């Protein structure tokens, strides 16, 4: 039994913003099904949420002074050089909104 | 190739200089790397650094910094300013790092020379280095076999004799498994011991960088050079975050016997038994432990890790840097760039992560996996009250054949002994426990010692007294 259907994969790919080819859809349906099936065991071994003592001290906040540490333009040129498309000091992107005619 | 310690002695004596070491490294690359393919790039400016290092040895002698002139190779998911950082992915094919990782700065400050970037599974996702967008790396012991992964290029670079040591990263075994397959020492530090600043993130709550070396002493030297608090990585820990563990003459090792029942190669088990005999003959105590949750770690790992992968890899979208495929609108650029830029394993894990984090599944998968993680830590804490180390084989088998692991799940199972270590954040070391014969070739296999949080130095102490001393 496959727990991941073709439509599920298409939906996930849309969420993950990856365009998939037909052959990828077919293999992912099999592979993700078997992996999701395998990891399902955590539900059994996790038990109930309530019996866990909170882990004090393991997570704590780390603060630092709100201070500028870079020189102006220290990295600007290098970062701009990595951008696929620029206009002066700006990054160029495709339009986000399309208006239906 | 020599160890770091041996190279340094030669450099101080002065008959063999860092320039000679670099020439030697480049000669090995020229002779063997067309076949092995450990390197993605070799840095030409290393020659200048080697000259400077040679000159410094003349004036500074044994006062020179501890790694002066030592050639190192670095996995290509670690940023070196001005050099390409591909993570072995098409999506970062032409990306040049605009800053260096903290660990790179620290290694260089100690005098190390980074001679090149090594191959890996794309974004460090894999156990064989077969997932690289730039071709597979082969195992120097048998070129029909994988070197392990994901730090396979780094491991092969050391084993084939280019460098005395290399740096890699370990998210679920990516240092220890290739160390096991390539006959090396590999070390995964306590989570937070080493800064992740400048590492291309895979699973942020799991990733740690570490060394691949010939000796435990060399691994300790590299680790202590890289480790320590970093203001650029808020997850780095202070020296007193965990209690310290004084080294002892003899240790108690816990063996999770029932964990070794299924799927472990008979020859590997035999080697493991002889390592236990070695330990008892040296006066150490070996006892059985039960770790029922630790054994199930792999399932929790394949929820937590892909969840973090799908979040971390969301930044690669064809807009700010890396590969960009033209499209009609912004979404089209995203979808096309990611379709072309990511390989099959990256896509699998991104989609899996998207699934386990999506509304309606989050509690059932991610929430439960995090709960299992907490329980695993508690199980370990209880176990470490009775034993100093947990002992397992590093890998269930020796290096497998290129192309042998057909489906993703069987590949994932290579990491059953290593992933629980990352999930719980404890440190572990691997070193060779012997060889097994396959098709008349001797293939090395590693043994893994796992210590409590903060027990990094204890692993080095034990490793030096057990492995380094016995090494000829």
């Amino acid at each position: 039994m496959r727990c991941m259907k073709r439509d599920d994969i298409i939906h996930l790919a849309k969420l993950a913003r990856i365009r998939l080819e037909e052959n990828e859809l077919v293999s992912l349906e099999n592979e993700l099904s078997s992996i999701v099936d395998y990891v399902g065991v955590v539900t059994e071994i996790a038990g109930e949420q309530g019996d866990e003592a909170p882990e004090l001290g393991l997570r704590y906040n780390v603060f630092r002074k709100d201070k500028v540490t870079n020189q102006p333009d220290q990295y600007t040129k290098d970062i701009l050089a990595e951008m696929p498309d620029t206009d002066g000091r700006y990054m160029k992107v495709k339009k986000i909104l399309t208006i239906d005619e | 190739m020599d160890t770091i310690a041996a190279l340094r002695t030669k450099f101080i004596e002065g008959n063999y200089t860092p320039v000679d070491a670099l020439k030697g490294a480049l000669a090995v690359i020229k002779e063997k790397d067309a076949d092995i393919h450990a390197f993605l790039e070799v840095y030409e400016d290393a020659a200048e650094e080697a000259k400077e290092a040679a000159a410094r040895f003349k004036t500074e002698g044994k006062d020179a910094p501890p790694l002066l002139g030592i050639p190192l190779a670095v996995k290509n998911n670690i940023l070196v300013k001005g050099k390409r950082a591909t993570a072995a992915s098409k999506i970062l094919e032409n990306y040049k790092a605009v800053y260096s990782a903290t660990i790179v700065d620290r290694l260089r400050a100690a005098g190390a020379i980074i001679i090149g970037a090594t191959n890996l599974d794309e974004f460090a996702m894999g156990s064989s280095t077969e997932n690289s967008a730039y071709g597979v790396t082969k195992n120097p012991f048998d070129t029909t076999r994988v070197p392990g992964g994901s730090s396979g290029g780094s491991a092969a670079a050391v084993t084939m004799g280019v460098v005395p040591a290399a740096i890699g990263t370990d998210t679920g075994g990516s240092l220890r498994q290739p160390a096991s397959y390539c006959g090396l020492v590999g070390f995964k530090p306590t989570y937070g011991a080493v800064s992740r600043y400048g590492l291309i993130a895979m699973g942020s709550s799991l990733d740690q960088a570490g060394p691949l070396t010939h000796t435990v002493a060399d691994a300790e030297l590299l680790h202590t050079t890289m480790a320590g608090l970093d203001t650029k990585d808020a997850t780095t820990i202070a020296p007193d975050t965990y209690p310290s563990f004084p080294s002892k003459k003899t240790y108690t090792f816990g063996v999770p016997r029932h964990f070794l029942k299924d799927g472990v190669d008979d020859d590997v088990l035999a080697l493991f038994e002889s390592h236990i005999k070695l330990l008892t003959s040296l006066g150490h105590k070996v006892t059985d432990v039960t770790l029922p949750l630790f054994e199930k770690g792999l399932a929790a790992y394949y929820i937590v890790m892909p969840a973090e992968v799908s979040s971390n890899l969301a930044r690669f979208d064809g807009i700010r840097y890396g590969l960009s495929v033209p499209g009609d609108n912004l979404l089209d650029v995203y979808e096309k760039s990611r379709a072309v830029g990511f390989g099959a394993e990256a896509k699998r894990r991104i989609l899996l992560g998207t699934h386990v984090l999506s509304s309606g599944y989050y509690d059932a998968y991610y929430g439960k996996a995090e709960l299992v993680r907490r329980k695993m830590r508690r199980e370990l804490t209880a176990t470490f009250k009775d034993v100093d180390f947990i002992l397992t084989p590093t890998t269930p088998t020796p290096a497998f054949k290129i192309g042998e692991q057909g489906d993703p799940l069987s590949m994932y199972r290579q990491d059953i002994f290593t992933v629980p270590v990352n999930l719980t954040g404890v440190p572990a070391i691997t070193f060779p426990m012997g060889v097994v014969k396959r098709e008349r070739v001797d293939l090395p296999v590693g043994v893994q010692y796992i210590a409590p949080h903060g027990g990094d130095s204890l692993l080095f102490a034990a490793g030096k007294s057990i492995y380094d001393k016995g090494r000829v």
Side-chain angles (χ1 to χ4, degrees):
Chain A
M1 190 205 79
R2 287 195 192 132
C3 52
M4 301 290 286
K5 304 265 186 317
R6 183 189 173 86
D7 285 349
D8 298 325
I9 308 287
I10 291 170
H11 176 64
L12 288 175
K14 207 170 151 191
L15 288 175
R17 293 176 163 166
I18 299 175
R19 192 155 301 167
L20 294 178
E21 303 288 333
E22 176 59 34
N23 61 336
E24 291 179 300
L25 276 174
V26 174
S27 57
L28 281 164
E29 201 181 324
N30 280 319
E31 291 158 356
L32 289 191
S33 287
S34 61
I35 300 167
V36 168
D37 196 42
Y38 174 73
V39 301
V41 70
V42 295
T43 321
E44 290 163 39
I45 56 177
E48 289 308 309
Q49 190 88 38
D51 65 352
E52 271 311 290
E55 291 182 297
L56 292 176
L58 193 69
R59 301 224 168 100
Y60 48 89
N61 288 321
V62 177
F63 297 102
R64 63 174 167 79
K65 288 258 181 333
D66 187 13
K67 199 174 72 183
V68 178
T69 53
N70 301 337
Q71 301 303 312
D73 288 337
Q74 188 182 345
Y75 295 103
T76 312
K77 219 178 99 207
D78 291 343
I79 291 170
L80 282 170
E82 293 303 323
M83 291 177 181
D85 200 2
T86 53
D87 182 355
R89 285 171 60 93
Y90 293 94
M91 177 175 77
K92 273 173 86 173
V93 294
K94 282 280 175 188
K95 62 185 170 189
I96 296 166
L97 298 173
T98 38
I99 298 158
D100 293 328
E101 297 294 331
Chain B
M1 185 53 143
D2 287 314
T3 61
I4 293 177
L7 263 187
R8 181 170 173 86
T9 307
K10 285 187 182 175
F11 290 166
I12 292 170
E13 284 168 357
N15 295 324
Y16 186 80
T17 70
V19 175
D20 299 324
L22 179 63
K23 274 188 193 150
L26 296 178
V28 178
I29 291 175
K30 204 171 169 191
E31 185 200 334
K32 297 180 183 167
D33 206 44
D35 186 25
I36 302 289
H37 191 46
F39 284 85
L40 291 177
E41 194 174 346
V42 178
Y43 301 153
E44 291 188 355
D45 42 3
E48 207 47 50
E49 291 173 57
K51 259 188 227 162
E52 283 167 30
R56 281 183 71 181
F57 265 109
K58 281 196 179 136
T59 55
E60 295 173 42
K62 55 184 182 342
D63 295 327
L67 294 173
L68 186 63
I70 302 293
L72 295 178
V74 169
K75 189 176 180 180
N76 205 211
N77 62 346
I78 299 169
L79 305 195
V80 180
K81 189 179 176 180
K83 306 293 186 193
R84 290 200 311 154
T86 64
S89 178
K90 282 281 170 210
I91 211 160
L92 287 175
E93 187 164 11
N94 295 308
Y95 172 68
K96 272 203 185 116
V98 299
Y99 63 94
S100 283
T102 296
I103 57 169
V104 167
D105 285 340
R106 288 183 181 177
L107 290 167
R108 282 179 162 170
I113 298 173
I114 294 166
I115 69 150
T118 56
N119 199 12
L120 63 150
D121 287 295
E122 183 178 5
F123 286 105
M125 294 192 259
S127 311
S128 65
T129 319
E130 291 170 295
N131 292 335
S132 169
Y134 306 103
V136 62
T137 298
K138 298 174 187 167
N139 190 316
F141 284 96
D142 176 350
T143 53
T144 66
R145 292 176 188 274
V146 303
S150 64
S151 309
S154 286
V158 179
T159 299
M160 72 199 265
V162 177
V163 280
I167 306 302
T169 58
D170 190 316
T171 304
S174 283
L175 279 163
R176 289 160 287 154
Q177 186 251 17
S180 175
Y181 286 3
C182 290
L184 300 173
V185 175
F187 177 68
K188 201 293 278 182
T190 297
Y191 181 78
V194 176
S195 169
R196 291 179 293 110
Y197 180 75
L199 269 55
I200 297 175
M202 176 187 162
S204 302
S205 75
L206 308 156
D207 298 341
Q208 278 290 283
L212 288 156
T213 58
H214 289 298
T215 64
V216 177
D218 279 359
E220 181 177 29
L221 173 61
L222 288 176
H223 170 71
T224 48
T225 305
M226 293 189 285
L229 273 173
D230 179 14
T231 50
K232 290 167 177 164
D233 175 0
T235 62
T236 51
I237 55 174
D240 62 351
T241 299
Y242 297 109
S244 61
F245 301 89
S247 62
K248 304 188 226 172
K249 284 232 166 62
T250 60
Y251 299 94
T252 306
F253 291 80
V255 178
R257 286 269 165 212
H258 50 119
F259 196 10
L260 308 174
K261 270 189 202 148
D262 292 321
V264 183
D265 181 274
D266 286 344
D267 295 339
V268 172
L269 265 187
L271 276 183
F272 185 69
E273 293 302 338
S274 54
H275 189 77
I276 289 174
K277 284 206 185 91
L278 169 75
L279 290 175
T280 47
S281 75
L282 292 170
H284 302 286
K285 217 178 128 193
V286 181
T287 169
D288 286 1
V289 292
T290 48
L291 297 164
L293 290 171
F294 200 79
E295 287 178 33
K296 300 268 167 62
L298 196 63
Y301 178 77
Y302 272 92
I303 292 171
V304 173
M305 178 273 296
E308 296 184 7
V309 162
S310 74
S311 311
N312 274 323
L313 268 54
R315 78 193 65 185
F316 304 106
D317 57 5
I319 302 299
R320 286 163 301 164
Y321 54 95
L323 177 82
S324 184
V325 179
D328 298 335
N329 54 45
L330 196 64
L331 184 64
D332 204 33
V333 176
Y334 290 156
E335 290 184 335
K336 283 181 177 163
S337 301
R338 289 163 68 79
V340 176
F342 289 133
E345 183 64 19
K347 286 177 186 170
R348 255 193 304 271
R349 296 197 191 186
I350 290 170
L351 293 181
L352 186 59
T354 306
H355 176 64
V356 299
L357 289 176
S358 60
S359 167
Y361 294 99
Y362 179 95
D363 289 334
Y365 291 113
Y366 190 74
K368 291 284 182 197
E370 281 294 316
L371 184 60
V372 168
R373 247 179 129 172
R374 289 207 290 279
K375 289 187 167 184
M376 282 172 73
R377 271 198 289 266
R378 213 164 58 169
E379 179 181 270
L380 273 187
T381 307
T383 307
F384 281 126
K385 279 184 183 138
D386 302 323
V387 301
D388 297 305
F389 304 114
I390 291 164
L391 187 71
T392 72
T394 308
T395 52
T397 66
F400 50 87
K401 292 261 183 184
I402 292 168
E404 186 182 327
Q405 305 289 345
D407 77 291
L409 267 179
S410 66
M411 180 78 87
Y412 299 168
R413 288 201 178 95
Q414 291 298 315
D415 298 327
I416 46 167
F417 297 123
T418 49
V419 295
V421 169
N422 301 73
L423 275 177
T424 48
V426 292
I429 198 165
T430 174
F431 48 78
M433 62 176 173
V435 293
V436 302
K437 228 179 232 326
R438 289 289 182 279
E439 296 166 339
R440 274 175 280 165
V441 182
D442 283 337
L443 298 173
V445 184
V447 64
Q448 174 175 246
Y449 294 6
I450 304 166
H453 292 97
D456 307 51
S457 58
L458 197 64
L459 287 171
F460 293 131
K464 282 189 288 188
S465 75
I466 295 161
Y467 179 68
D468 284 4
K469 268 198 187 151
R471 198 174 164 266
V472 201

